[in-house]
Amino acid sequence: MANLFRNRFVQAILLSELFLQIGIWVRNFSVLLYVVEMTGGDAFAVSMVSVAEFAPIFIFSFIGGTFADRWPPKRTMIWCDVLSAISVFAVLFTLIFGSWKAVFFSILFSAILSQFSQPAGLKLFKMHVPAEQVQAGMSIYQTIFAVFMIFGPVLGTFVYQTFGIQVAIMITGIAFLMSAVALFFLPPDRDMGKEETHSTLLQEMAAGIRYVLSKKVLTLLGACFFAAGLAIGLIQPLGVFLVTERLGLEKEYLQWLMTVSGIGMVLGGGLAMVFAKSVAPQKLLAFGMFVDAICMAISGISTTPWLTLTAQFFSGLVLPCIQIGINTMILQNTESQYIGRVNGILSPLFTGAMVITMSIAGLLKNLFSLVSMYEMAGILFIVGLLFILPLYRLPVATQEPGTDS
C-alpha cells in the first residue's frame, strides 16, 4: 500500500479527484436548491437537473470513450477540466447579466466532458499502475466517492445557503481549475505501442463493439451491469415509501437511511483497500452482489427501523466491492487501446437499465406492492450474480508489457 501512495500517478489522480468532487457536489446541490427556489419547487424544472446530469451518459459515453482511445489521456483530462471551468465561469457571467436558466448548461456541458475524461482516467490507470496494485488503487479511488456521498450534499447545501449561487458557481470553476493543475503532475503522455491507423470514428466504434462481444469476460460483465441497473432503478425512487409505509415514520427519516448507507460505503472502501491484494476482483464482485441482494430483500420485508438501518448499512458496506470489482476486471481484461470504448459501452448499459426501471417504478409499485419491488430488486441482483459465476475461477490477468511500475 505504501508503494501505491508513492506512485506519482496515484498522488496526482487522487488530488485531482478530490478537487473534482468538491466542484461537482457544490455545483449539483447549489443548482438543485437554486432551481427549487427560482421555480417554487416546480417538479419538471427540478427533474431537468437530473436529465442534464444523466442524459450525456447515453448520448456521449460511447463517443467520448472512442475519442479517449484516440487522444493522449493526460491532455484529454486536463482540457476537459479547463473547458468545464470555462463553461462554469461563462454561466456565472450569464447569471449576473442574463437568465438564471443558464445553470442547467453548467451541469450539461460538464457532464458531456466527463464522458471524455473518465475513460481517459481509466486508461491512465492501465498505463501507470502495476497490475497487482490496480484493485487497491481503485479501492482508494472509490473511497473518495463514498466520502463525498456523505459530505457532498452537506458541503453543497452549506455553500449555497451561506454564500448564494454566484459564489457556489465560482467555487465550482476554481475547483475544476485546481483539478487541471493537479493533473499537470502526471507523468507525460507516451506511445502505448498502438500502430498508426487511418480508420474513421465509426470504424473504431464498430471495432469496440466487436471487441466487447469477442471477450467473454466483458460480455458477462455487461449482462451483470444491466441486471444491477434494473435492480437499483426499481428501488431508487422508493426509499421515502420504505420509511413512511413500512416503518411508519416521517419522510425526513430517509436521511438516516442514506447516512447509514454512506457510512457503510466509506468503511467498505477502507476494507476493500485492506483485502485488495488477497481477494480476486470477481470474488469481490460476487460477494458484493450476493450480500446486496439479501439486504434489498430484508429492507423490503422489515417493519423495524433498526433492522432496516442494519440492512442499509451492509448494503453500503458491500457497494464498493461491486464497483471496485467491476472496474478492476475491466482494466485487467481490456487492452489499453480499447479501454475508452469498453467503458463507453458498459456504462450506458447500467445507467440505461437504471433509468428504464426508475421511470416505471411508481407504476409498478401501484400494480404490485413495495415489498414485491424490493424482492424483485434482490432477485435481479441474483440474476446478475449468475452471469458472473462463470468468471469466479478466472485466472488473474497479467500486466501488459510496457506498463509502468
Side-chain angles (χ1 to χ4, degrees), residues 89-123:
F89 288 126
V91 168
L92 178 62
F93 182 83
T94 307
L95 280 175
I96 296 172
F97 299 103
S99 170
W100 68 270
K101 296 178 183 177
V103 293
F104 290 104
F105 176 78
S106 69
I107 292 182
L108 180 64
F109 191 71
S110 181
I112 291 172
L113 290 171
S114 71
Q115 303 313 306
F116 295 80
S117 178
Q118 182 187 7
L122 287 176
K123 192 168 184 176

PDB file of all heavy atoms in Angstrom, residues 89-123:
ATOM      1  N   PHE A  89     -17.588  29.469 -15.544  1.00  0.00           N
ATOM      2  CA  PHE A  89     -17.424  30.928 -15.433  1.00  0.00           C
ATOM      3  C   PHE A  89     -18.314  31.668 -16.437  1.00  0.00           C
ATOM      4  O   PHE A  89     -18.796  32.770 -16.161  1.00  0.00           O
ATOM      5  CB  PHE A  89     -15.957  31.314 -15.625  1.00  0.00           C
ATOM      6  CG  PHE A  89     -15.081  30.923 -14.472  1.00  0.00           C
ATOM      7  CD1 PHE A  89     -13.944  30.166 -14.662  1.00  0.00           C
ATOM      8  CD2 PHE A  89     -15.409  31.299 -13.167  1.00  0.00           C
ATOM      9  CE1 PHE A  89     -13.136  29.786 -13.599  1.00  0.00           C
ATOM     10  CE2 PHE A  89     -14.612  30.926 -12.095  1.00  0.00           C
ATOM     11  CZ  PHE A  89     -13.472  30.173 -12.315  1.00  0.00           C
ATOM     12  N   ALA A  90     -18.557  31.041 -17.608  1.00  0.00           N
ATOM     13  CA  ALA A  90     -19.487  31.633 -18.569  1.00  0.00           C
ATOM     14  C   ALA A  90     -20.897  31.664 -18.006  1.00  0.00           C
ATOM     15  O   ALA A  90     -21.643  32.647 -18.184  1.00  0.00           O
ATOM     16  CB  ALA A  90     -19.458  30.839 -19.878  1.00  0.00           C
ATOM     17  N   VAL A  91     -21.276  30.592 -17.298  1.00  0.00           N
ATOM     18  CA  VAL A  91     -22.591  30.551 -16.654  1.00  0.00           C
ATOM     19  C   VAL A  91     -22.676  31.612 -15.563  1.00  0.00           C
ATOM     20  O   VAL A  91     -23.709  32.283 -15.397  1.00  0.00           O
ATOM     21  CB  VAL A  91     -22.852  29.145 -16.064  1.00  0.00           C
ATOM     22  CG1 VAL A  91     -24.070  29.151 -15.147  1.00  0.00           C
ATOM     23  CG2 VAL A  91     -23.059  28.130 -17.186  1.00  0.00           C
ATOM     24  N   LEU A  92     -21.585  31.796 -14.808  1.00  0.00           N
ATOM     25  CA  LEU A  92     -21.554  32.833 -13.771  1.00  0.00           C
ATOM     26  C   LEU A  92     -21.788  34.210 -14.386  1.00  0.00           C
ATOM     27  O   LEU A  92     -22.566  35.022 -13.856  1.00  0.00           O
ATOM     28  CB  LEU A  92     -20.209  32.796 -13.050  1.00  0.00           C
ATOM     29  CG  LEU A  92     -19.987  33.861 -11.967  1.00  0.00           C
ATOM     30  CD1 LEU A  92     -21.010  33.719 -10.837  1.00  0.00           C
ATOM     31  CD2 LEU A  92     -18.560  33.762 -11.405  1.00  0.00           C
ATOM     32  N   PHE A  93     -21.145  34.466 -15.515  1.00  0.00           N
ATOM     33  CA  PHE A  93     -21.326  35.746 -16.219  1.00  0.00           C
ATOM     34  C   PHE A  93     -22.788  35.915 -16.650  1.00  0.00           C
ATOM     35  O   PHE A  93     -23.371  36.995 -16.512  1.00  0.00           O
ATOM     36  CB  PHE A  93     -20.403  35.776 -17.444  1.00  0.00           C
ATOM     37  CG  PHE A  93     -20.465  37.071 -18.214  1.00  0.00           C
ATOM     38  CD1 PHE A  93     -19.727  38.175 -17.809  1.00  0.00           C
ATOM     39  CD2 PHE A  93     -21.251  37.183 -19.353  1.00  0.00           C
ATOM     40  CE1 PHE A  93     -19.776  39.361 -18.519  1.00  0.00           C
ATOM     41  CE2 PHE A  93     -21.318  38.354 -20.060  1.00  0.00           C
ATOM     42  CZ  PHE A  93     -20.573  39.457 -19.648  1.00  0.00           C
ATOM     43  N   THR A  94     -23.388  34.817 -17.137  1.00  0.00           N
ATOM     44  CA  THR A  94     -24.785  34.869 -17.573  1.00  0.00           C
ATOM     45  C   THR A  94     -25.723  35.100 -16.395  1.00  0.00           C
ATOM     46  O   THR A  94     -26.729  35.813 -16.512  1.00  0.00           O
ATOM     47  CB  THR A  94     -25.161  33.550 -18.281  1.00  0.00           C
ATOM     48  OG1 THR A  94     -24.224  33.291 -19.319  1.00  0.00           O
ATOM     49  CG2 THR A  94     -26.548  33.638 -18.889  1.00  0.00           C
ATOM     50  N   LEU A  95     -25.402  34.485 -15.247  1.00  0.00           N
ATOM     51  CA  LEU A  95     -26.233  34.686 -14.057  1.00  0.00           C
ATOM     52  C   LEU A  95     -26.252  36.139 -13.625  1.00  0.00           C
ATOM     53  O   LEU A  95     -27.265  36.663 -13.167  1.00  0.00           O
ATOM     54  CB  LEU A  95     -25.701  33.825 -12.905  1.00  0.00           C
ATOM     55  CG  LEU A  95     -26.087  32.343 -12.901  1.00  0.00           C
ATOM     56  CD1 LEU A  95     -25.378  31.630 -11.753  1.00  0.00           C
ATOM     57  CD2 LEU A  95     -27.591  32.181 -12.757  1.00  0.00           C
ATOM     58  N   ILE A  96     -25.109  36.786 -13.763  1.00  0.00           N
ATOM     59  CA  ILE A  96     -25.002  38.181 -13.331  1.00  0.00           C
ATOM     60  C   ILE A  96     -25.739  39.112 -14.284  1.00  0.00           C
ATOM     61  O   ILE A  96     -26.438  40.038 -13.862  1.00  0.00           O
ATOM     62  CB  ILE A  96     -23.517  38.586 -13.212  1.00  0.00           C
ATOM     63  CG1 ILE A  96     -22.828  37.751 -12.119  1.00  0.00           C
ATOM     64  CG2 ILE A  96     -23.381  40.077 -12.895  1.00  0.00           C
ATOM     65  CD1 ILE A  96     -21.327  37.942 -12.060  1.00  0.00           C
ATOM     66  N   PHE A  97     -25.612  38.820 -15.582  1.00  0.00           N
ATOM     67  CA  PHE A  97     -26.147  39.766 -16.571  1.00  0.00           C
ATOM     68  C   PHE A  97     -27.316  39.230 -17.394  1.00  0.00           C
ATOM     69  O   PHE A  97     -27.904  39.962 -18.188  1.00  0.00           O
ATOM     70  CB  PHE A  97     -25.026  40.187 -17.549  1.00  0.00           C
ATOM     71  CG  PHE A  97     -23.885  40.875 -16.873  1.00  0.00           C
ATOM     72  CD1 PHE A  97     -22.694  40.205 -16.623  1.00  0.00           C
ATOM     73  CD2 PHE A  97     -23.989  42.200 -16.457  1.00  0.00           C
ATOM     74  CE1 PHE A  97     -21.622  40.831 -16.007  1.00  0.00           C
ATOM     75  CE2 PHE A  97     -22.931  42.839 -15.836  1.00  0.00           C
ATOM     76  CZ  PHE A  97     -21.745  42.153 -15.600  1.00  0.00           C
ATOM     77  N   GLY A  98     -27.668  37.945 -17.221  1.00  0.00           N
ATOM     78  CA  GLY A  98     -28.703  37.380 -18.077  1.00  0.00           C
ATOM     79  C   GLY A  98     -29.692  36.513 -17.336  1.00  0.00           C
ATOM     80  O   GLY A  98     -30.151  36.855 -16.247  1.00  0.00           O
ATOM     81  N   SER A  99     -29.974  35.326 -17.892  1.00  0.00           N
ATOM     82  CA  SER A  99     -31.030  34.459 -17.378  1.00  0.00           C
ATOM     83  C   SER A  99     -30.489  33.453 -16.364  1.00  0.00           C
ATOM     84  O   SER A  99     -29.400  32.907 -16.526  1.00  0.00           O
ATOM     85  CB  SER A  99     -31.686  33.705 -18.541  1.00  0.00           C
ATOM     86  OG  SER A  99     -32.547  32.698 -18.065  1.00  0.00           O
ATOM     87  N   TRP A 100     -31.287  33.165 -15.343  1.00  0.00           N
ATOM     88  CA  TRP A 100     -30.918  32.167 -14.343  1.00  0.00           C
ATOM     89  C   TRP A 100     -30.931  30.758 -14.906  1.00  0.00           C
ATOM     90  O   TRP A 100     -30.281  29.850 -14.373  1.00  0.00           O
ATOM     91  CB  TRP A 100     -31.858  32.241 -13.141  1.00  0.00           C
ATOM     92  CG  TRP A 100     -33.275  31.818 -13.440  1.00  0.00           C
ATOM     93  CD1 TRP A 100     -34.291  32.614 -13.854  1.00  0.00           C
ATOM     94  CD2 TRP A 100     -33.810  30.492 -13.364  1.00  0.00           C
ATOM     95  NE1 TRP A 100     -35.441  31.878 -14.043  1.00  0.00           N
ATOM     96  CE2 TRP A 100     -35.167  30.562 -13.737  1.00  0.00           C
ATOM     97  CE3 TRP A 100     -33.282  29.247 -13.009  1.00  0.00           C
ATOM     98  CZ2 TRP A 100     -35.994  29.459 -13.778  1.00  0.00           C
ATOM     99  CZ3 TRP A 100     -34.111  28.134 -13.048  1.00  0.00           C
ATOM    100  CH2 TRP A 100     -35.445  28.254 -13.426  1.00  0.00           C
ATOM    101  N   LYS A 101     -31.654  30.534 -16.011  1.00  0.00           N
ATOM    102  CA  LYS A 101     -31.782  29.193 -16.572  1.00  0.00           C
ATOM    103  C   LYS A 101     -30.471  28.645 -17.133  1.00  0.00           C
ATOM    104  O   LYS A 101     -30.368  27.451 -17.436  1.00  0.00           O
ATOM    105  CB  LYS A 101     -32.858  29.188 -17.667  1.00  0.00           C
ATOM    106  CG  LYS A 101     -34.251  29.503 -17.121  1.00  0.00           C
ATOM    107  CD  LYS A 101     -35.285  29.544 -18.220  1.00  0.00           C
ATOM    108  CE  LYS A 101     -36.657  29.921 -17.658  1.00  0.00           C
ATOM    109  NZ  LYS A 101     -37.682  30.036 -18.716  1.00  0.00           N
ATOM    110  N   ALA A 102     -29.462  29.503 -17.239  1.00  0.00           N
ATOM    111  CA  ALA A 102     -28.151  29.053 -17.723  1.00  0.00           C
ATOM    112  C   ALA A 102     -27.502  28.046 -16.784  1.00  0.00           C
ATOM    113  O   ALA A 102     -26.557  27.353 -17.175  1.00  0.00           O
ATOM    114  CB  ALA A 102     -27.224  30.256 -17.914  1.00  0.00           C
ATOM    115  N   VAL A 103     -28.003  27.931 -15.547  1.00  0.00           N
ATOM    116  CA  VAL A 103     -27.399  26.979 -14.609  1.00  0.00           C
ATOM    117  C   VAL A 103     -27.505  25.547 -15.125  1.00  0.00           C
ATOM    118  O   VAL A 103     -26.656  24.706 -14.818  1.00  0.00           O
ATOM    119  CB  VAL A 103     -28.040  27.079 -13.200  1.00  0.00           C
ATOM    120  CG1 VAL A 103     -27.722  28.413 -12.552  1.00  0.00           C
ATOM    121  CG2 VAL A 103     -29.539  26.822 -13.256  1.00  0.00           C
ATOM    122  N   PHE A 104     -28.545  25.253 -15.913  1.00  0.00           N
ATOM    123  CA  PHE A 104     -28.668  23.913 -16.480  1.00  0.00           C
ATOM    124  C   PHE A 104     -27.481  23.602 -17.396  1.00  0.00           C
ATOM    125  O   PHE A 104     -27.017  22.465 -17.461  1.00  0.00           O
ATOM    126  CB  PHE A 104     -29.976  23.781 -17.265  1.00  0.00           C
ATOM    127  CG  PHE A 104     -31.201  23.781 -16.400  1.00  0.00           C
ATOM    128  CD1 PHE A 104     -32.003  24.905 -16.311  1.00  0.00           C
ATOM    129  CD2 PHE A 104     -31.555  22.660 -15.669  1.00  0.00           C
ATOM    130  CE1 PHE A 104     -33.137  24.916 -15.515  1.00  0.00           C
ATOM    131  CE2 PHE A 104     -32.686  22.649 -14.865  1.00  0.00           C
ATOM    132  CZ  PHE A 104     -33.486  23.788 -14.784  1.00  0.00           C
ATOM    133  N   PHE A 105     -27.005  24.635 -18.092  1.00  0.00           N
ATOM    134  CA  PHE A 105     -25.892  24.454 -19.018  1.00  0.00           C
ATOM    135  C   PHE A 105     -24.625  24.035 -18.289  1.00  0.00           C
ATOM    136  O   PHE A 105     -23.829  23.247 -18.805  1.00  0.00           O
ATOM    137  CB  PHE A 105     -25.650  25.758 -19.786  1.00  0.00           C
ATOM    138  CG  PHE A 105     -24.454  25.715 -20.709  1.00  0.00           C
ATOM    139  CD1 PHE A 105     -24.543  25.071 -21.932  1.00  0.00           C
ATOM    140  CD2 PHE A 105     -23.255  26.311 -20.349  1.00  0.00           C
ATOM    141  CE1 PHE A 105     -23.441  25.030 -22.780  1.00  0.00           C
ATOM    142  CE2 PHE A 105     -22.159  26.273 -21.188  1.00  0.00           C
ATOM    143  CZ  PHE A 105     -22.252  25.623 -22.407  1.00  0.00           C
ATOM    144  N   SER A 106     -24.411  24.552 -17.073  1.00  0.00           N
ATOM    145  CA  SER A 106     -23.193  24.221 -16.328  1.00  0.00           C
ATOM    146  C   SER A 106     -23.116  22.729 -16.035  1.00  0.00           C
ATOM    147  O   SER A 106     -22.042  22.124 -16.105  1.00  0.00           O
ATOM    148  CB  SER A 106     -23.125  25.020 -15.026  1.00  0.00           C
ATOM    149  OG  SER A 106     -24.110  24.589 -14.113  1.00  0.00           O
ATOM    150  N   ILE A 107     -24.254  22.106 -15.696  1.00  0.00           N
ATOM    151  CA  ILE A 107     -24.276  20.668 -15.433  1.00  0.00           C
ATOM    152  C   ILE A 107     -24.169  19.885 -16.735  1.00  0.00           C
ATOM    153  O   ILE A 107     -23.400  18.921 -16.841  1.00  0.00           O
ATOM    154  CB  ILE A 107     -25.562  20.276 -14.681  1.00  0.00           C
ATOM    155  CG1 ILE A 107     -25.550  20.853 -13.261  1.00  0.00           C
ATOM    156  CG2 ILE A 107     -25.722  18.764 -14.629  1.00  0.00           C
ATOM    157  CD1 ILE A 107     -26.759  20.480 -12.435  1.00  0.00           C
ATOM    158  N   LEU A 108     -24.927  20.308 -17.751  1.00  0.00           N
ATOM    159  CA  LEU A 108     -24.968  19.578 -19.016  1.00  0.00           C
ATOM    160  C   LEU A 108     -23.597  19.522 -19.682  1.00  0.00           C
ATOM    161  O   LEU A 108     -23.108  18.451 -20.055  1.00  0.00           O
ATOM    162  CB  LEU A 108     -25.987  20.226 -19.956  1.00  0.00           C
ATOM    163  CG  LEU A 108     -26.137  19.574 -21.339  1.00  0.00           C
ATOM    164  CD1 LEU A 108     -26.677  18.161 -21.202  1.00  0.00           C
ATOM    165  CD2 LEU A 108     -27.044  20.411 -22.232  1.00  0.00           C
ATOM    166  N   PHE A 109     -22.935  20.675 -19.808  1.00  0.00           N
ATOM    167  CA  PHE A 109     -21.657  20.733 -20.515  1.00  0.00           C
ATOM    168  C   PHE A 109     -20.578  19.963 -19.765  1.00  0.00           C
ATOM    169  O   PHE A 109     -19.781  19.224 -20.352  1.00  0.00           O
ATOM    170  CB  PHE A 109     -21.236  22.196 -20.706  1.00  0.00           C
ATOM    171  CG  PHE A 109     -20.080  22.368 -21.656  1.00  0.00           C
ATOM    172  CD1 PHE A 109     -20.251  22.153 -23.009  1.00  0.00           C
ATOM    173  CD2 PHE A 109     -18.824  22.735 -21.186  1.00  0.00           C
ATOM    174  CE1 PHE A 109     -19.186  22.309 -23.894  1.00  0.00           C
ATOM    175  CE2 PHE A 109     -17.760  22.886 -22.057  1.00  0.00           C
ATOM    176  CZ  PHE A 109     -17.942  22.672 -23.412  1.00  0.00           C
ATOM    177  N   SER A 110     -20.565  20.102 -18.449  1.00  0.00           N
ATOM    178  CA  SER A 110     -19.581  19.387 -17.635  1.00  0.00           C
ATOM    179  C   SER A 110     -19.820  17.878 -17.694  1.00  0.00           C
ATOM    180  O   SER A 110     -18.865  17.091 -17.740  1.00  0.00           O
ATOM    181  CB  SER A 110     -19.639  19.874 -16.189  1.00  0.00           C
ATOM    182  OG  SER A 110     -18.682  19.222 -15.394  1.00  0.00           O
ATOM    183  N   ALA A 111     -21.087  17.461 -17.700  1.00  0.00           N
ATOM    184  CA  ALA A 111     -21.408  16.037 -17.784  1.00  0.00           C
ATOM    185  C   ALA A 111     -20.974  15.451 -19.127  1.00  0.00           C
ATOM    186  O   ALA A 111     -20.525  14.302 -19.201  1.00  0.00           O
ATOM    187  CB  ALA A 111     -22.908  15.824 -17.580  1.00  0.00           C
ATOM    188  N   ILE A 112     -21.104  16.238 -20.196  1.00  0.00           N
ATOM    189  CA  ILE A 112     -20.636  15.794 -21.510  1.00  0.00           C
ATOM    190  C   ILE A 112     -19.123  15.596 -21.491  1.00  0.00           C
ATOM    191  O   ILE A 112     -18.602  14.561 -21.935  1.00  0.00           O
ATOM    192  CB  ILE A 112     -21.029  16.815 -22.602  1.00  0.00           C
ATOM    193  CG1 ILE A 112     -22.549  16.820 -22.809  1.00  0.00           C
ATOM    194  CG2 ILE A 112     -20.328  16.496 -23.923  1.00  0.00           C
ATOM    195  CD1 ILE A 112     -23.039  17.929 -23.713  1.00  0.00           C
ATOM    196  N   LEU A 113     -18.402  16.565 -20.950  1.00  0.00           N
ATOM    197  CA  LEU A 113     -16.944  16.474 -20.909  1.00  0.00           C
ATOM    198  C   LEU A 113     -16.469  15.300 -20.059  1.00  0.00           C
ATOM    199  O   LEU A 113     -15.431  14.689 -20.336  1.00  0.00           O
ATOM    200  CB  LEU A 113     -16.351  17.784 -20.377  1.00  0.00           C
ATOM    201  CG  LEU A 113     -16.459  18.982 -21.319  1.00  0.00           C
ATOM    202  CD1 LEU A 113     -16.034  20.267 -20.606  1.00  0.00           C
ATOM    203  CD2 LEU A 113     -15.591  18.773 -22.558  1.00  0.00           C
ATOM    204  N   SER A 114     -17.227  14.960 -19.019  1.00  0.00           N
ATOM    205  CA  SER A 114     -16.828  13.844 -18.157  1.00  0.00           C
ATOM    206  C   SER A 114     -16.860  12.523 -18.912  1.00  0.00           C
ATOM    207  O   SER A 114     -16.152  11.574 -18.539  1.00  0.00           O
ATOM    208  CB  SER A 114     -17.728  13.769 -16.923  1.00  0.00           C
ATOM    209  OG  SER A 114     -19.031  13.332 -17.268  1.00  0.00           O
ATOM    210  N   GLN A 115     -17.658  12.427 -19.982  1.00  0.00           N
ATOM    211  CA  GLN A 115     -17.697  11.208 -20.782  1.00  0.00           C
ATOM    212  C   GLN A 115     -16.422  11.021 -21.597  1.00  0.00           C
ATOM    213  O   GLN A 115     -16.139   9.926 -22.093  1.00  0.00           O
ATOM    214  CB  GLN A 115     -18.918  11.216 -21.716  1.00  0.00           C
ATOM    215  CG  GLN A 115     -20.243  11.380 -21.010  1.00  0.00           C
ATOM    216  CD  GLN A 115     -20.395  10.467 -19.814  1.00  0.00           C
ATOM    217  OE1 GLN A 115     -20.230   9.256 -19.922  1.00  0.00           O
ATOM    218  NE2 GLN A 115     -20.697  11.049 -18.663  1.00  0.00           N
ATOM    219  N   PHE A 116     -15.641  12.096 -21.766  1.00  0.00           N
ATOM    220  CA  PHE A 116     -14.327  12.015 -22.399  1.00  0.00           C
ATOM    221  C   PHE A 116     -13.236  11.827 -21.356  1.00  0.00           C
ATOM    222  O   PHE A 116     -12.260  11.114 -21.572  1.00  0.00           O
ATOM    223  CB  PHE A 116     -14.049  13.288 -23.211  1.00  0.00           C
ATOM    224  CG  PHE A 116     -14.968  13.484 -24.375  1.00  0.00           C
ATOM    225  CD1 PHE A 116     -16.241  14.005 -24.210  1.00  0.00           C
ATOM    226  CD2 PHE A 116     -14.567  13.151 -25.662  1.00  0.00           C
ATOM    227  CE1 PHE A 116     -17.105  14.190 -25.289  1.00  0.00           C
ATOM    228  CE2 PHE A 116     -15.413  13.328 -26.747  1.00  0.00           C
ATOM    229  CZ  PHE A 116     -16.683  13.845 -26.556  1.00  0.00           C
ATOM    230  N   SER A 117     -13.419  12.486 -20.199  1.00  0.00           N
ATOM    231  CA  SER A 117     -12.389  12.491 -19.165  1.00  0.00           C
ATOM    232  C   SER A 117     -12.329  11.166 -18.398  1.00  0.00           C
ATOM    233  O   SER A 117     -11.238  10.648 -18.125  1.00  0.00           O
ATOM    234  CB  SER A 117     -12.660  13.638 -18.187  1.00  0.00           C
ATOM    235  OG  SER A 117     -11.730  13.658 -17.147  1.00  0.00           O
ATOM    236  N   GLN A 118     -13.480  10.591 -18.047  1.00  0.00           N
ATOM    237  CA  GLN A 118     -13.497   9.383 -17.222  1.00  0.00           C
ATOM    238  C   GLN A 118     -12.782   8.203 -17.880  1.00  0.00           C
ATOM    239  O   GLN A 118     -11.936   7.557 -17.236  1.00  0.00           O
ATOM    240  CB  GLN A 118     -14.938   9.011 -16.867  1.00  0.00           C
ATOM    241  CG  GLN A 118     -15.034   7.789 -15.974  1.00  0.00           C
ATOM    242  CD  GLN A 118     -16.463   7.335 -15.757  1.00  0.00           C
ATOM    243  OE1 GLN A 118     -17.394   7.847 -16.372  1.00  0.00           O
ATOM    244  NE2 GLN A 118     -16.653   6.360 -14.889  1.00  0.00           N
ATOM    245  N   PRO A 119     -13.083   7.876 -19.150  1.00  0.00           N
ATOM    246  CA  PRO A 119     -12.338   6.760 -19.756  1.00  0.00           C
ATOM    247  C   PRO A 119     -10.862   7.055 -19.927  1.00  0.00           C
ATOM    248  O   PRO A 119     -10.033   6.137 -19.883  1.00  0.00           O
ATOM    249  CB  PRO A 119     -13.033   6.568 -21.115  1.00  0.00           C
ATOM    250  CG  PRO A 119     -13.776   7.823 -21.373  1.00  0.00           C
ATOM    251  CD  PRO A 119     -14.151   8.378 -20.037  1.00  0.00           C
ATOM    252  N   ALA A 120     -10.504   8.327 -20.106  1.00  0.00           N
ATOM    253  CA  ALA A 120      -9.087   8.682 -20.175  1.00  0.00           C
ATOM    254  C   ALA A 120      -8.401   8.393 -18.843  1.00  0.00           C
ATOM    255  O   ALA A 120      -7.251   7.935 -18.802  1.00  0.00           O
ATOM    256  CB  ALA A 120      -8.928  10.163 -20.548  1.00  0.00           C
ATOM    257  N   GLY A 121      -9.120   8.634 -17.731  1.00  0.00           N
ATOM    258  CA  GLY A 121      -8.580   8.332 -16.413  1.00  0.00           C
ATOM    259  C   GLY A 121      -8.366   6.834 -16.222  1.00  0.00           C
ATOM    260  O   GLY A 121      -7.342   6.407 -15.668  1.00  0.00           O
ATOM    261  N   LEU A 122      -9.322   6.009 -16.694  1.00  0.00           N
ATOM    262  CA  LEU A 122      -9.157   4.557 -16.614  1.00  0.00           C
ATOM    263  C   LEU A 122      -7.958   4.097 -17.440  1.00  0.00           C
ATOM    264  O   LEU A 122      -7.209   3.197 -17.040  1.00  0.00           O
ATOM    265  CB  LEU A 122     -10.427   3.857 -17.105  1.00  0.00           C
ATOM    266  CG  LEU A 122     -11.639   3.904 -16.174  1.00  0.00           C
ATOM    267  CD1 LEU A 122     -12.843   3.258 -16.843  1.00  0.00           C
ATOM    268  CD2 LEU A 122     -11.337   3.205 -14.855  1.00  0.00           C
ATOM    269  N   LYS A 123      -7.776   4.749 -18.580  1.00  0.00           N
ATOM    270  CA  LYS A 123      -6.645   4.390 -19.445  1.00  0.00           C
ATOM    271  C   LYS A 123      -5.324   4.703 -18.742  1.00  0.00           C
ATOM    272  O   LYS A 123      -4.356   3.938 -18.834  1.00  0.00           O
ATOM    273  CB  LYS A 123      -6.759   5.158 -20.759  1.00  0.00           C
ATOM    274  CG  LYS A 123      -5.825   4.666 -21.849  1.00  0.00           C
ATOM    275  CD  LYS A 123      -6.188   5.272 -23.187  1.00  0.00           C
ATOM    276  CE  LYS A 123      -5.315   4.714 -24.293  1.00  0.00           C
ATOM    277  NZ  LYS A 123      -5.699   5.215 -25.621  1.00  0.00           N
TER     278      LYS A 123
END
